[in-house]
Amino acid sequence: MKKYFYLVATPESIIVSHLQPHDFGNYLSVGTQKQLHGEVIFFEFDPDHTKLHQDYINLKMKPYDDGEPKRSVYLSIYRCFEAIPLRALRNLYLVTDDGKVLEMAAHDYIPKTTKEIHLYQQLIPVTTRVASKLSPVDFIRRLTDLNQPVSAPKVFLVDLKLNDWGTNPDGPLSDLPYPNPDHLRDCIKKLKLSSARQTKTVLRFLRDDISYRTIQTGFFVGDQKQYLFYPFPSEKDLEEKYYSWWRSALVRHF
């Protein structure tokens, strides 16, 4: 059977499986008995660009006696994103809590020219939510500057919506389901009032799954030298091309 290699962010791990990506995402989200549930975010990656324990993989990756495929064999659960080079990453997959899978490919990122506040949900190696004046690429470069006292070799994050608050925190937030919106507004105002400050922590850690409908531009993974951008589909494409996934993403099923 063919082997597929996955870099999972929720929680961070490297897994090899006989399941192709959509089946693997469904398996991680709801399990074989449909008793598990939860969102899942993961990459497929090319093992030829990595250093993995091939003897261990060959030993473990054998179908069961009844012919059933091996669904998941864990290869690592610690500092996994650091171990997988960016050139090895293939597509990114977002899975809803009832097992619907959306596939996203990497594309060029075209930054906006407007000066607005961004809201970043970091996923790896920490899950802090941060408001920032920095563009996604500049934000990644700042976080991965190892000459700074607070840094990481590689980060994975998503750019979230702020609606009008990106330029005017006194405007409406509309229906975005953020906890404690007054605190978020205060963070944005303090950031805008300070000419020197570039970032402001909004949440110290992620307490729940990401609401996919809050995604603005998409997902970024990068280090000091390079990055990859996985754009989130437009509302038009979500309604027309990915309707089943999008309907599932808008509802909490459990």
Side-chain angles (χ1 to χ4, degrees):
M1 288 185 178
K2 182 176 179 180
K3 302 181 186 72
Y4 297 88
F5 293 80
Y6 300 112
L7 175 61
V8 183
T10 52
E12 186 176 9
S13 52
I14 297 173
I15 299 175
V16 58
S17 173
H18 286 144
L19 301 179
Q20 59 88 20
H22 283 73
D23 292 335
F24 178 75
N26 180 269
Y27 163 72
L28 284 189
S29 176
V30 300
T32 56
Q33 302 298 323
K34 310 300 181 185
Q35 294 175 347
L36 303 173
H37 60 85
E39 292 180 357
V40 181
I41 300 173
F42 67 93
F43 295 86
E44 185 183 5
F45 70 87
D46 183 351
D48 291 339
H49 293 295
T50 62
K51 296 180 180 179
L52 301 174
H53 302 290
Q54 291 299 332
D55 291 342
Y56 179 80
I57 294 170
N58 294 334
L59 176 66
K60 291 293 186 179
M61 288 303 295
K62 296 176 182 178
Y64 293 103
D65 292 339
D66 61 0
E68 282 287 310
K70 279 289 181 69
R71 296 175 177 85
S72 61
V73 171
Y74 282 77
L75 303 180
S76 179
I77 57 172
Y78 179 63
R79 299 176 73 170
C80 302
F81 272 68
E82 293 179 42
I84 307 300
L86 291 180
R87 68 179 183 277
L89 295 181
R90 293 174 175 169
N91 287 350
L92 173 66
Y93 297 85
L94 308 184
V95 190
T96 63
D97 65 357
D98 69 335
K100 300 293 191 304
V101 182
L102 175 69
E103 182 176 1
M104 299 164 57
H107 289 280
D108 292 337
Y109 174 66
I110 302 176
K112 294 182 179 179
T113 57
T114 57
K115 293 183 179 180
E116 62 180 82
I117 303 297
H118 299 270
L119 184 62
Y120 300 120
Q121 177 60 60
Q122 300 178 75
L123 298 169
I124 301 293
V126 296
T127 59
T128 308
R129 184 169 295 179
V130 178
S132 179
K133 297 176 184 176
L134 300 173
S135 71
V137 177
D138 289 337
F139 185 71
I140 289 172
R141 287 172 177 162
R142 175 166 180 164
L143 287 179
T144 58
D145 184 355
L146 299 182
N147 293 317
Q148 298 299 318
V150 178
S151 62
K154 188 181 294 179
V155 294
F156 178 44
L157 56 87
V158 59
D159 183 23
L160 301 180
K161 291 180 179 178
L162 278 175
N163 290 343
D164 293 339
W165 281 17
T167 53
N168 177 24
D170 290 318
L173 185 60
S174 299
D175 62 344
L176 294 178
Y178 296 137
N180 199 349
D182 290 336
H183 171 63
L184 174 58
R185 176 189 275 116
D186 289 343
C187 289
I188 295 172
K189 285 184 174 181
K190 290 178 181 178
L191 195 57
K192 292 180 74 68
L193 289 173
S194 174
S195 59
R197 191 161 194 169
Q198 298 293 305
T199 62
K200 173 68 176 172
T201 298
V202 177
L203 291 176
R204 291 184 179 88
F205 60 91
L206 184 63
R207 296 180 175 87
D208 203 349
D209 290 337
I210 295 172
S211 176
Y212 288 140
R213 70 183 180 91
T214 64
I215 298 174
Q216 175 71 11
T217 55
F219 291 78
F220 297 80
V221 56
D223 54 28
Q224 186 64 199
K225 296 181 179 180
Q226 56 185 331
Y227 69 92
L228 293 173
F229 169 54
Y230 293 83
F232 193 63
S234 66
E235 290 188 15
K236 184 175 185 295
D237 284 345
L238 288 169
E239 291 287 352
E240 295 180 0
K241 296 181 180 180
Y242 312 111
Y243 179 82
S244 177
W245 182 89
W246 184 229
R247 292 300 95 186
S248 174
L250 293 176
V251 177
R252 184 175 290 276
H253 297 85
F254 302 94

